[in-house]
Amino acid sequence: MSKLFTPFTAGALSLAHRVVMAPLTRLRADPGDKASALMRDYYTQRTSQGGLIISEATPVAREGYGYAGAPGIYEDAQIEGWRAVTEAVHARGGKIVMQLWHVGRQSHPELQPGGKAPVAPSAIQAEGDAYTPNGPRPFSMPRALERHEIPAVIDQFRQGAARAKAAGFDGVEIHGANGYLPDQFLQDGTNHRTDEYGGPIENRARFLLEITQAAIEVWGADRVGVRISPSGTYGSMSDSNPQETFGYIAEKLSVLGIAYLHIVEPRIKGTELISDSKPVAAQQLRQHFHGTLLAAGGFTGESAEAILQAGDADAVAFGRFFISNPDLPERLRHTLPLTEYDRTTFYGGGTHGYTDYPKAQSSD
Ligand SMILES: Cc1cc2nc3c(=O)[nH]c(=O)nc-3n(C[C@H](O)[C@H](O)[C@H](O)COP(=O)(O)O)c2cc1C
């Protein structure tokens, strides 16, 4: 029997099925980095009864911004647009959590207040491009955060979590994956600090654990999820001992009793499948994390069912297929063919490649 279409809980969230919409940056916000009416339509289309949506990554600070067109949650004026999204999702019987984001070094002075250098744990540059209003620009050399500046960054996550609550979300997910600021602290390739936020894993994990704790103070642990990408290399990431690093963080998050741990399989690099290996990360971290576990990265309906049957995950998040199949849960439930996605419309633009993917004939 299919396990994908059985209920499960993630902390305080009771869900009717296990096909989760992964966080997907689409860069279609209104001026002022406000969630747009078009975004509301897109999320409404992807809502299913009792299904869970994780919002696109949403910066908690102007300094945490790396992609022009991303919707923010760093100002009160950004609450209203998001409230329209959460109301529409709730009206269709779905649940939605906001992914809280700070890109750290994956940015560029053209996106930063005052044209300053982006911030990071250490002054080490990443390869790749930021999306500025003037087009792609190579990530620039970041400035290492001073020890005394760190509490203010943690507070930005706290305030983002509070605004997400005011906007009517069902919870928040800390974006600790894909080489952004919390991941930059966690992994030793990007963290060369010598204070209590660098060095041994107990110190490198401190930043992610403190922002998680800040979100917990706003929401309660049972409405806070965390996403990590063990051994992920996107954003020029590396770690000398990934098993220890990610085992440690999974164990600590388990003790905090968060709603779920969301794991991106290392076969995915950002938005691309780089190997066809079997999922491993969720299985390994199951030993360290005793709560609800979401797996993501390169899943099909069949392989999602397999990982659930094996007991290595409790739910599966789908990214690219949710872009091109607004009714993905229904299609998987009835084994209907999936529409292929068009990469050229992933980032920015209007309705094309966003809200104009059709539903399957037989689904409502
Ligand atoms: C267009 C696009 C945007 C993405 N944006 C985010 C994001 O905002 N936050 C995040 O954690 N992952 C993001 N990802 C990664 C996805 O959540 C997911 O991990 C990845 O696509 C692999 O899953 P899939 O094989 O089902 O697509 C993005 C992926 C794509 C294709």
Side-chain angles (χ1 to χ4, degrees):
M1 200 191 100
S2 161
K3 201 163 177 206
L4 260 183
F5 295 96
T6 58
F8 78 108
T9 58
L13 306 176
S14 294
L15 287 320
H17 64 77
R18 298 164 191 251
V19 181
V20 174
M21 180 170 164
L24 293 162
T25 291
R26 306 300 309 277
L27 308 183
R28 284 161 167 93
D30 277 345
D33 308 332
K34 294 177 179 166
S36 59
L38 182 59
M39 286 169 53
R40 179 202 58 207
D41 295 347
Y42 161 83
Y43 283 109
T44 308
Q45 287 179 348
R46 283 157 184 76
T47 303
S48 62
Q49 183 70 37
L52 178 63
I53 292 175
I54 303 166
S55 84
E56 62 207 275
T58 304
V60 296
R62 281 286 315 282
E63 294 78 9
Y65 209 78
Y67 298 77
I73 196 71
Y74 56 82
E75 282 175 2
D76 288 350
Q78 292 158 343
I79 293 173
E80 196 185 325
W82 277 119
R83 190 178 295 122
V85 172
T86 63
E87 283 176 0
V89 169
H90 291 153
R92 297 202 60 180
K95 299 230 158 72
I96 181 164
V97 299
M98 173 180 273
Q99 192 185 50
L100 300 177
W101 199 22
H102 193 308
V103 301
R105 68 178 188 162
Q106 290 197 44
S107 188
H108 188 275
E110 285 178 25
L111 289 160
Q112 293 291 314
K116 294 191 187 138
V119 296
S122 302
I124 304 167
Q125 199 167 341
E127 283 175 23
D129 287 330
Y131 285 66
T132 79
N134 309 312
R137 295 274 187 281
F139 296 133
S140 57
M141 176 59 90
R143 174 178 75 77
L145 279 164
E146 300 282 345
R147 166 70 187 83
H148 68 85
E149 295 176 296
I150 293 178
V153 183
I154 293 166
D155 202 54
Q156 289 168 336
F157 275 92
R158 187 193 321 274
Q159 290 185 33
R163 290 192 193 98
K165 199 169 192 184
F169 280 86
D170 296 290
V172 289
E173 175 179 289
I174 304 289
H175 196 346
N178 297 348
Y180 297 114
L181 188 62
D183 202 16
Q184 290 160 30
F185 271 94
L186 195 58
Q187 300 202 48
D188 62 14
T190 41
N191 184 344
H192 293 181
R193 299 181 74 89
T194 53
D195 60 12
E196 66 265 50
Y197 287 91
I201 179 57
E202 293 78 8
N203 287 356
R204 285 182 282 119
R206 196 180 307 280
F207 182 76
L208 177 52
L209 292 173
E210 288 183 353
I211 59 177
T212 305
Q213 187 59 46
I216 288 174
E217 282 159 20
V218 173
W219 278 95
D222 57 0
R223 287 183 184 269
V224 174
V226 176
R227 190 175 219 213
I228 55 173
S229 48
S231 305
T233 52
Y234 181 77
S236 318
M237 295 305 290
S238 65
D239 191 76
S240 60
N241 190 348
Q243 293 218 344
E244 181 195 59
T245 295
F246 291 98
Y248 179 88
I249 196 75
E251 227 149 73
K252 288 289 172 186
L253 291 169
S254 190
V255 172
L256 286 179
I258 57 171
Y260 66 83
L261 180 63
H262 186 178
I263 297 169
V264 186
E265 289 290 338
R267 62 187 175 183
I268 281 286
K269 185 172 179 182
T271 67
E272 288 181 55
L273 196 63
I274 53 170
S275 95
D276 56 5
S277 59
K278 284 213 153 54
V280 288
Q283 185 188 43
Q284 283 172 10
L285 294 182
R286 200 54 146 175
Q287 292 145 40
H288 300 277
F289 184 81
H290 306 299
T292 297
L293 216 145
L294 269 56
F299 285 94
T300 60
E302 212 175 313
S303 61
E305 186 61 39
I307 196 169
L308 297 180
Q309 292 289 351
D312 295 336
D314 299 297
V316 175
F318 291 83
R320 291 164 296 168
F321 281 134
F322 240 120
I323 290 178
S324 51
N325 298 273
D327 53 348
L328 185 65
E330 276 313 287
R331 293 207 196 196
L332 296 181
R333 192 197 291 269
H334 301 296
T335 335
L336 301 174
L338 300 184
T339 304
E340 255 316 307
Y341 44 83
D342 172 10
R343 271 186 189 276
T344 64
T345 52
F346 275 1
Y347 299 111
T351 55
H352 180 51
Y354 192 54
T355 49
D356 64 354
Y357 282 110
K359 291 188 171 186
Q361 296 280 309
S362 63
S363 69
D364 74 7

